[in-house]
Amino acid sequence: FDSNITCFYSTILKKYLLFARYNSGKEERNIQVFKSNDLIKWDQGTICHINTFATRHNYYMNKIIEIPN
């Protein structure tokens, strides 16, 4: 269970997006995005690779928004 989830319809991609934390290793959390056309069938998800200097990532909180244009 993870209550830190963001879900919205992307007008740019014309898909629903769901962002959730992904426990990729011991004491390491990343962000994963799932895509859907209908809010029923979802893909397997993709890890969001964020370019930082950290060797281990611990993203506890996130707020994903879409900025048109």
Side-chain angles (χ1 to χ4, degrees):
F1 173 75
D2 193 336
S3 61
N4 192 18
I5 294 173
T6 300
C7 186
F8 61 88
Y9 182 77
S10 168
T11 57
I12 295 170
L13 300 176
K14 309 290 189 233
K15 293 181 182 284
Y16 294 95
L17 303 177
L18 186 144
F19 293 85
R21 287 192 304 216
Y22 170 67
N23 296 331
S24 53
K26 184 178 180 182
E27 299 177 5
E28 185 173 340
R29 291 167 184 84
N30 286 298
I31 300 171
Q32 191 171 14
V33 61
F34 298 89
K35 297 174 189 160
S36 172
N37 292 319
D38 58 10
L39 283 175
I40 297 171
K41 298 176 187 170
W42 293 86
D43 67 10
Q44 295 295 312
T46 305
I47 297 174
C48 297
H49 294 284
I50 300 171
N51 188 13
T52 65
F53 293 105
T55 56
R56 290 181 153 216
H57 301 292
N58 277 299
Y59 301 113
Y60 286 97
M61 302 296 292
N62 68 71
K63 179 62 178 171
I64 310 296
I65 63 169
E66 180 169 81
I67 302 174
N69 300 325

